Amino acid sequence: MDTLTRMRAFIEVVEAEGFSAAARKIGRSKALLSKYVRELEDELGALLLNRTTRQFSLTETGHTYFKRATEIVREIDSLADTVRDSSGDVKGRIKLSAPRTFSDAPIGQSLIDFAKAYPDIVLDIHLDDRFVDLVEEGFDLAVRITRLEDSSMIARRLTPFALKICASPQTLEKYGKPEKPQDLAKMPCIIDTNGRWLSNWPFMRENGEMFSVAVSGPIEANSPLTTRAAAIANLGFAPLPDFIAAPALESGELVSVLDQWLPRGGGIFAVYPHRRYLPAKVRVFVDFLVQWFKLRDAA
């Protein structure tokens, strides 16, 4: 049994947070995975996992080994993908991090369309609204909706993104249309707790200077879909991603306000770590998304 196989087994167990879960995921027996990890520990002469019938955790040595082993295995897989790419054979598993906002919106269809177009690639989607550490947590790439600032990552812009402040016509009739952001401090606002800004909404002056306005209101939710529904129900003003707000804006259920005050330069990005070898499967996936959004934006 070679070291690489044992390393892969160890990584699968750690990522699945247990032997049973890892066995179910990769179709191997729990006993076999336990044997591989035990052999790896014997080979290294060090304990990597603390395990009892009810608890599972990495030792300090295990943490160090997991991080480095993950990098090594991914480099090996990336090199293999590069070779396969020359023969047109693209397959494997892509571990993707994406925000729920992305997957729940119509643009989430892009992931489904990719899976249909490339049946030999398993798209392992993890939905999480936090910014995961791609290297530390073993992700191939992430979809991020942001004004990109992390220079340690490689990013490809898929499509522009803008924030909208929206309210129903009835809300505007009752409270009036805000002429400047500060007016919102005296109006009911719906807080999307998924957003980085929470109850301090970001705005931009003509000269590019950023500032925030503290707001409050009758409802807080960690879902832009719930936030949109609350705005349509006349509960107040809501911050919405443009692709979430679009259907209600087109139907007239919502109206956008203060557009000239909102930050610019945002986008939806495919983000992945700097690597010597970019896996062919990742390159194919990113190229697919770029083309998917290009066709969507042109429609």
Side-chain angles (χ1 to χ4, degrees), residues 3 23 46 61 67 69 83 88 130 139 149 154 163 205 236 263-264 266 280 283 286 293:
T3 300
T61 301
K67 182 176 181 180
V83 174
R130 67 186 175 90
F139 284 95
E149 298 172 353
I154 301 172
L163 186 69
R205 294 189 171 90
R264 298 175 292 277
R283 184 165 56 254
V286 174
F293 278 96

Side-chain angles (χ1 to χ4, degrees), residues 104-158:
D104 290 345
I107 55 177
Q109 182 65 35
S110 60
L111 305 182
I112 306 301
D113 289 346
F114 175 81
K116 291 169 63 178
Y118 291 89
D120 290 335
I121 296 178
V122 176
L123 192 56
D124 182 10
I125 305 168
H126 295 248
L127 301 178
D128 200 326
D129 292 308
R130 67 186 175 90
F131 275 20
V132 301
D133 186 317
L134 298 184
V135 176
E136 183 74 24
E137 300 181 49
F139 284 95
D140 291 298
L141 77 163
V143 171
R144 289 182 175 167
I145 306 169
T146 183
R147 297 176 69 196
L148 200 64
E149 298 172 353
D150 190 349
S151 60
S152 68
M153 297 287 156
I154 301 172
R156 285 187 66 183
R157 188 186 185 102
L158 304 177

Side-chain angles (χ1 to χ4, degrees), residues 218-286:
I219 186 171
E220 300 180 2
N222 64 340
S223 163
L225 297 180
T226 300
T227 303
R228 182 181 66 185
I232 292 173
N234 312 320
L235 288 177
F237 295 82
L240 296 171
D242 53 2
F243 55 87
I244 294 290
L249 291 174
E250 291 171 4
S251 68
E253 293 175 291
L254 292 178
V255 177
S256 65
V257 298
L258 301 172
D259 288 345
Q260 71 276 21
W261 290 92
L262 293 172
R264 298 175 292 277
I268 301 177
F269 296 89
V271 181
Y272 46 94
H274 286 276
R275 289 195 184 126
R276 184 178 178 186
Y277 304 105
L278 178 65
K281 60 190 177 185
V282 174
R283 184 165 56 254
V284 165
F285 177 64
V286 174

Side-chain angles (χ1 to χ4, degrees), residues 32 171 242 252:
L32 183 61
T171 296
D242 53 2

